[in-house]
Amino acid sequence: MAGIAGIIRWGSDSVPPDGIEGMLEAIRHRGPDGLYAETRKNVALGHARFLLHKRERNKTQPVWLPDRSMGLTADARLYNRAELLRTLGAVPWFREIPSDAELLLAAFERWGEECVTRLRGDFAFAVWDQTKGRLFAARDPFGVKPFFYHASSRGIAFGSEPKQLLRLPGVGSEPNDGVIVDYLVYGRHRAFEETFFRDVRRLRAGHTLLALRNGVSQRRFWPAPVPPEDFRGSSRECTEEFSALFRESVHQRLEMDARAAVHLSGGYDSSAVAVAAATARLTGPPKQRPLTVSLLYPGLACDESLYSQAVAAQTGLEHLECIAPLEDPSPGLLDEIRKVDGPTPDIRWQQWETLASMIKGRGCKVVLTGLGGDELVLDPDYEFDLWRSHQFLSALRYCWSDPRVLRTKARKSRLIRLLRHSVPQEIKQLLRHWHPRPPTPIPDWVNPALVQEHRSYLERTASHPDEPTFPDLARETIARWHIDPAALWVLELEECSCSYAGFESRHPFYDQDLVTFVLSIPFRTRLQLPAVFKTLLTTALGDSLPAVVSKRGSKVHFNYYILELLGKEWPSLSRALSDPARLASGPYIVWEQAARHWSHPISSELAWFTSARPFWQLADLEIWLRSLNRCCKRYTTTNV
């Protein structure tokens, strides 16, 4: 949860120190161990420090080569330090054990832009190359660490959060209409390059950035255009390799001179992280052993205390639990909107504060989560691959009788999808000619003129010209899940929320080596696994999980908790939208249609959550739009 900041001028104009200082002040919550900045003529670099290792106690950023030709600032946690040190060999300017930032600078000095292919970890960093007059930046494959920037003809500024850039003159806080329309249509933010602010852009996950006087460009480095080589071992060897890689991923994220907590919900993914953490061979004192922490939801369908308590008992780790807060979250809603710099707050903010208060008292600075488990170990639609390989009876049998299908109660939908998929391509093309595929359904309460104006943005996808092509559809699905901008936004939101709560979030399932291995497994190998739900994970770790967890064969929706919070927040949201004549969000909606949707009564059913989207989504947008002029302070530096 550290932070970065930087201002580069292409001309000879100097960068006043108060510009970079103001940017760092905006992210003071990311730097409890100090804010550091250095200004050198037309370059200013800054860092908000979050100390997790004793070896970095006397290290600060930015770091520079001895001749000052290159400088770097980074929010980075590298998990392959030993490999990097071995590959780099002797680095003349290393005086002692290098920090992660120094390793990154040495890697860039040695390998240039290709250094990113050798990195394993969570990172967002920027290198100023004085000799070549350029800025290079990179963000880890899954976007665990954030990176935003503003570029103009005069220079470029970057930081960990948009609010840093909004402090600079010349960076407007005008909303980006295209992103807002996209958000209203799809019901979620999709983390492409654009942000909710017209003048602020995002470095996308798995991309590098090169900024020169004549422009800025992004280049994707992950996933590679060539898929990994197929795994040729047996299904047993497959699960053994997965288990080893997963445990290594968990252990790497525990290697620090601080204590970690595992957010244990009781589901498969967080339970797997907990049991792997319990077997970690850590070098620190016993008091630094990880602990588990659980939120309880008594009376709600998402309560998993039966499972979380069983896992905690089996691990033998210290276990903390408390009841998830159910107070009206509206008093803190404006602050949450300002934190994430957009109309997409996490209304569970009280939950994070409760977790933070529990773990800080135990000396924890890092929380491991089960995020990414669904994207990695849910079983994709094997029936399509069976059908494509002309095993028609096997495909039908899979849809009708396979335990994976029966446990998810998806027999009918699987059969329908398979029948649609099996229609010959020629017939599909003919049908599309006579009955074209309808465009993305547009809610009737969204301004149709703005929809038409920003149609090109709505039709954007995460596909790439160099997309890797996999031998089976199952792996294509997993690969697509891992570059989905909407899913990656969840990581970005989680990182920001945790940083304000005072801890760093880490996600063992979002590990490059682990994901690459899963993408190498042929669907036939996974189909042979004996488990009935999340087969790869439960087969690999089944013996480590309590029987009550390994045999449950299902998962819960925490939207039940959000429904409870929305019900309590409803009166405040209603007040925000009570006067149509004063609506800041008026240009984006058709008031009469929106008001018709708002008449739906509050319900505890999940279906109501979708039907109520026009209400809570517009209320959040309204509050954010009203707050823009109040939350963006200006500093008296010259334009970026």
Side-chain angles (χ1 to χ4, degrees), residues 567-585:
K568 296 179 181 297
E569 196 178 44
W570 202 260
S572 296
L573 298 182
S574 299
R575 287 193 294 272
L577 298 170
S578 60
D579 185 358
R582 297 181 55 222
L583 285 182
S585 55

Side-chain angles (χ1 to χ4, degrees), residues 139-398:
R139 193 174 176 203
D140 63 78
F142 311 107
V144 175
K145 298 295 185 180
F147 190 104
F148 299 91
Y149 67 96
H150 168 79
S152 70
S153 60
R154 302 193 64 184
I156 183 171
F158 62 86
S160 297
E161 298 182 19
K163 60 177 60 66
Q164 296 173 264
L165 303 166
L166 297 175
R167 285 182 167 234
L168 298 171
V171 184
S173 60
E174 293 80 11
N176 188 326
D177 289 351
V179 173
I180 292 175
V181 170
D182 188 78
Y183 160 67
L184 294 177
V185 169
Y186 288 104
R188 60 194 185 278
H189 179 45
R190 297 193 296 162
F192 291 112
E193 292 179 27
E194 297 85 354
T195 72
F196 282 105
F197 298 99
R198 194 181 303 167
D199 284 354
V200 178
R201 297 181 73 82
R202 167 189 290 104
L203 174 56
R204 293 182 62 176
H207 282 64
T208 62
L209 176 145
L210 187 63
L212 301 160
R213 181 187 290 269
N214 61 354
V216 178
S217 60
Q218 294 194 28
R219 179 177 67 89
R220 193 184 76 170
F221 69 88
W222 195 93
V226 179
E229 183 178 346
D230 279 6
F231 176 77
R232 301 296 183 184
S234 65
S235 58
R236 178 179 178 180
E237 292 169 330
C238 170
T239 55
E240 289 174 349
E241 180 68 11
F242 177 88
S243 177
L245 286 171
F246 177 71
R247 292 178 185 276
E248 178 66 13
S249 176
V250 173
H251 296 182
Q252 287 171 338
R253 285 157 178 79
L254 293 171
E255 285 294 338
M256 56 190 162
D257 299 313
R259 200 176 186 188
V262 177
H263 185 197
L264 175 60
S265 70
Y268 282 107
D269 307 327
S270 66
S271 297
V273 174
V275 298
T279 62
R281 297 182 180 87
L282 303 180
T283 57
K287 67 179 181 180
Q288 286 189 359
R289 287 199 77 201
L291 58 83
T292 55
V293 56
S294 297
L295 288 162
L296 311 182
Y297 303 87
L300 298 181
C302 57
D303 185 71
E304 296 187 292
S305 55
L306 169 68
Y307 308 111
S308 61
Q309 289 167 0
V311 173
Q314 182 154 317
T315 64
L317 299 174
E318 180 183 3
H319 181 59
L320 307 176
E321 57 184 23
C322 69
I323 296 176
L326 275 174
E327 291 80 14
D328 176 9
S330 60
L333 184 59
L334 178 58
D335 284 341
E336 294 306 304
I337 285 174
R338 287 175 173 173
K339 287 175 184 178
V340 299
D341 293 310
T344 53
D346 187 343
I347 67 170
R348 303 169 301 167
W349 61 269
Q350 297 168 114
Q351 174 177 299
W352 295 121
E353 289 190 351
T354 302
L355 280 174
S357 63
M358 284 197 299
I359 66 176
K360 283 181 179 177
R362 298 298 200 278
C364 295
K365 292 186 175 183
V366 168
V367 172
L368 273 61
T369 81
L371 276 179
D374 285 346
E375 289 75 12
L376 193 64
V377 297
L378 270 180
D379 299 297
D381 304 309
Y382 298 137
E383 67 270 25
F384 295 156
D385 284 310
L386 288 169
W387 192 277
R388 194 166 70 167
S389 58
H390 304 293
Q391 299 183 57
F392 306 118
L393 290 178
S394 295
L396 291 171
R397 191 180 302 115
Y398 176 86

Side-chain angles (χ1 to χ4, degrees), residues 31-110:
D33 297 304
L35 305 178
Y36 301 88
E38 187 172 345
T39 302
R40 305 180 72 245
K41 295 182 180 180
N42 66 323
V43 177
L45 300 176
H47 184 250
R49 186 166 76 153
F50 184 57
L51 191 61
L52 292 174
H53 293 278
K54 293 177 182 178
R55 63 171 179 264
E56 301 195 348
R57 183 165 296 167
N58 297 319
K59 309 272 188 176
T60 59
Q61 296 184 46
V63 294
W64 295 82
L65 292 182
D67 63 0
R68 299 286 172 168
S69 61
M70 286 185 190
L72 173 144
T73 182
D75 176 9
R77 309 298 180 191
L78 298 179
Y79 303 131
N80 65 331
R81 283 178 53 88
E83 179 185 349
L84 284 173
L85 286 168
R86 184 169 57 253
T87 308
L88 282 167
V91 178
W93 51 272
F94 282 176
R95 295 289 177 263
E96 50 190 8
I97 299 175
S99 65
D100 283 358
E102 289 170 326
L103 264 179
L104 284 171
L105 185 57
F108 184 80
E109 180 189 27
R110 177 74 58 83

